[in-house]
């Protein structure tokens, strides 16, 4: 009996010691943070990507390579529960002390949105007339046309079609939020909704179709013009290159992985050219261009400035054709957009060069010109530059913003069809704005560093994300590998900038305190 009592006392003591140790372990990080309050110490670098020169590693260390704390401010790239990459990311993003995690994430949240920050006001009297939103096409649907109030309470919003819920969610800072379930629902609509009307889009150099769905939503259709394996011929000028449907799809996924959220949702779809295009179109000009090829395939070519002829006809197998469907932004009658000339626009001339190509100090002139002399616009141009370089897109002559938000708004990344044309060549001239200006957002810099790490490789995340699309594989492996190569080159350019001008003069902190500073968060001095 005495031995049994001693054994029970021993078990109780071990239990008390274990509890005390757990309490001390839990308190130590808080005491450490309290003792270090006010300290802006740089983070220690973690494992470097392979094949980086040693001086690059030193520069990365000086610039603050993301450790387990800074990694937590970066979003999970995938919501697929079966994804190994998603699980490893989620584990590292939520690791560490919960108290600090909530403080870090607080800086990543959007400010409270006012009526001036949302594209459509809460109590607006504007009503969406689907018939009026079809750009004067003849409406081809049965039954009465409904009208939708853009906002009117959460219960009403749940009954709206997904395209309208997407429009309502647009604000000053982004087209959609990180984990907005409406986006995945909208992507499903793009590949499943019945097409009720088709018409050619006016303007542009190549054929594009406007497709209207049964739920009154609309999307821009770009048909397949070449196979995944075909590269842009070396003698082609960028302004006469094909627009690729798979580039539009891949651009949407890349934009989301980079955490920009500035590309409208895009999905791939396989269409029956007879039932879903020819039989439902009221566009006589389009209908007249349909024919049957010598191989008994259904073909059409439409009307446009380039590649709209029998020699460049789009043919099905025998009547199936794949293409990209990009969700429409709100009608211009409801939400006007402003078109801006890209300061680093190419000359679009066979012999002449643009000013930025001959003047190495061109960025200094841009910095003194509105709207690039204040706010985040110049930094947004740097984001767009990196985005285009990773895709190999040389055709960024203009960009758009929503007029309501003035100069304090994000850039919409539209028309990405000329990306992913060459995997064997990196067009470094696309990155000239970054090398001339040597400016980048801290959030962008951290994300690029993370995506360069072997365990979170950009190509792997892109490959996983693109598996969700109906037209998978969207990109062949050489294009995925080219993105990794271009990412390393981009980080090398930034490392040179930091070595030359100093980390604080290159990397603009948009992660802490930016929201309290108003719309000029992360602005330029």
């Amino acid at each position: 009996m005495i031995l049994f009592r001693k054994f029970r006392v021993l078990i109780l003591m071990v239990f008390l010691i274990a509890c005390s140790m757990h309490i001390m372990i839990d308190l130590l990080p808080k005491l450490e943070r309290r003792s270090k309050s006010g300290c802006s110490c740089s983070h220690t670098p973690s494992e470097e990507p392979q094949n980086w020169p040693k001086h690059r590693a030193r520069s990365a260390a000086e610039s603050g390579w993301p450790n387990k704390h800074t990694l937590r401010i970066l979003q999970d790239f995938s919501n697929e529960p079966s994804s190994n990459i998603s699980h490893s990311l989620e584990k590292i993003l939520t690791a560490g002390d919960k108290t600090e995690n909530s403080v870090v994430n607080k800086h990543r949240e959007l400010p409270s949105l006012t009526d001036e920050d949302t594209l459509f006001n809460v109590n607006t009297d504007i009503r969406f007339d689907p018939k009026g939103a079809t750009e004067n096409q003849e409406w081809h649907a049965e039954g009465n046309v409904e009208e939708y109030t853009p906002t009117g309470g959460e219960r009403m919003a749940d009954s709206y079609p997904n395209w309208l819920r997407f429009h309502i969610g647009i604000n000053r800072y982004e087209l959609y939020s990180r984990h907005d379930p409406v986006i995945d629902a909208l992507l499903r609509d793009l590949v499943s909704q019945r097409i009720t009307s088709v018409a050619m889009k006016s303007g542009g150099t190549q054929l594009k179709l406007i497709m209207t769905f049964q739920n009154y939503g609309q999307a821009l259709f770009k048909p397949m013009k070449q196979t995944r394996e075909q590269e842009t011929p070396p003698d082609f000028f960028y302004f006469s290159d094909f627009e690729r449907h798979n580039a539009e799809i891949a651009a949407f996924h890349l934009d989301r992985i980079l955490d920009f959220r500035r590309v409208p949702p895009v999905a791939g779809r396989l269409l029956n050219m007879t039932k879903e295009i020819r039989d439902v179109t009221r566009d006589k000009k389009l209908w007249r261009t349909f024919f049957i090829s010598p191989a008994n395939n259904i073909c059409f070519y439409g009307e446009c400035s380039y590649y709209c002829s029998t020699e460049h006809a789009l043919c099905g197998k025998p009547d199936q054709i794949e293409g990209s469907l990009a969700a429409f932004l709100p009608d211009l009658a409801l939400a006007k957009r402003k078109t801006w000339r890209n300061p680093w626009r190419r000359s679009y001339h066979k012999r002449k060069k643009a000013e930025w190509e001959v003047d190495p100090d061109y960025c200094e002139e841009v910095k003194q010109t509105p709207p690039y002399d204040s706010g985040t616009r110049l930094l947004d141009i740097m984001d767009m530059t990196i985005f285009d370089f990773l895709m190999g897109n040389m055709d960024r002559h203009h960009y758009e913003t929503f007029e309501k938000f003035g100069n304090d708004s994000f850039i919409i990344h539209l028309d990405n069809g000329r990306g992913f044309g060459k995997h064997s060549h990196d067009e470094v001239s696309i990155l000239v704005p970054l090398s001339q200006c040597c400016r980048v957002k801290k959030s962008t810099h951290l994300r690029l560093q993370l995506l360069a790490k072997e365990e979170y490789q950009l190509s792997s995340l892109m490959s996983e994300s693109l598996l969700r699309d109906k037209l998978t594989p969207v990109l062949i492996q050489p294009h995925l590998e080219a993105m990794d190569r271009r990412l390393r080159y981009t980080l090398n350019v930034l490392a040179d900038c930091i070595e030359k001008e100093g980390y604080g003069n290159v990397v603009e902190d948009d992660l802490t305190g930016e929201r309290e500073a108003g719309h000029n968060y992360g602005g330029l001095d």
Side-chain angles (χ1 to χ4, degrees), residues 460-484:
S460 298
L461 293 172
M462 276 290 291
S463 179
E464 180 190 342
S465 186
L466 290 172
L467 285 175
R468 305 176 194 176
D469 194 85
K470 294 292 185 181
L471 300 184
T472 188
V474 176
L475 295 176
I476 60 173
Q477 189 62 29
H479 279 299
L480 296 170
E481 295 170 357
M483 281 192 290
D484 289 334

Side-chain angles (χ1 to χ4, degrees), residues 70-94 105 108 176-180 253 255-259 261 447 450-451 456 461 464-465 468:
T70 53
L71 285 173
R72 278 188 266 111
I73 63 175
L74 302 174
Q75 79 169 105
D76 186 1
F77 297 99
S78 172
N79 294 322
E80 289 292 328
S82 60
S83 165
N84 292 329
I85 296 178
S86 303
H87 287 166
S88 59
L89 270 171
E90 184 176 358
K91 183 177 179 181
I92 208 165
L93 297 180
T94 56
N105 283 331
R108 293 292 294 168
Y176 56 91
S177 60
R178 281 180 180 169
H179 304 296
D180 188 351
H253 288 260
D255 176 81
R256 193 151 66 160
I257 286 174
L258 291 172
D259 201 27
R261 301 189 299 283
R447 182 161 295 268
L450 179 65
L451 294 173
Y456 311 114
L461 293 172
E464 180 190 342
S465 186
R468 305 176 194 176

Side-chain angles (χ1 to χ4, degrees), residues 211-264:
M211 296 193 165
T212 305
F213 302 118
Q214 187 178 12
N215 67 353
Y216 309 127
Q218 289 187 302
L220 187 67
F221 179 76
K222 288 190 177 182
M224 176 178 177
K225 292 187 174 72
Q226 60 183 38
T227 65
R228 310 287 198 275
E229 292 76 18
Q230 287 178 282
E231 281 198 279
T232 302
D235 290 328
F236 266 41
F237 287 100
Y238 45 85
F239 48 82
S240 59
D241 191 12
F242 286 115
E243 291 185 15
R244 287 165 285 276
H245 71 300
N246 61 319
E248 293 285 0
I249 300 167
F252 165 69
H253 288 260
L254 176 61
D255 176 81
R256 193 151 66 160
I257 286 174
L258 291 172
D259 201 27
F260 293 155
R261 301 189 299 283
R262 299 164 198 168
V263 174

Side-chain angles (χ1 to χ4, degrees), residues 113-152:
L113 298 175
T114 66
D115 286 348
E116 294 303 313
D117 296 324
T118 54
L119 195 58
F120 298 109
N121 296 340
V122 174
N123 296 316
T124 182
D125 290 328
I126 296 176
R127 290 183 178 272
F128 282 81
D129 176 4
K131 185 175 181 179
T134 59
E135 297 189 354
N136 297 321
Q137 299 176 49
E138 294 185 49
W139 186 250
H140 184 69
E142 297 177 358
N144 295 327
V145 175
E146 291 185 66
E147 286 188 342
Y148 297 101
T149 305
T151 50

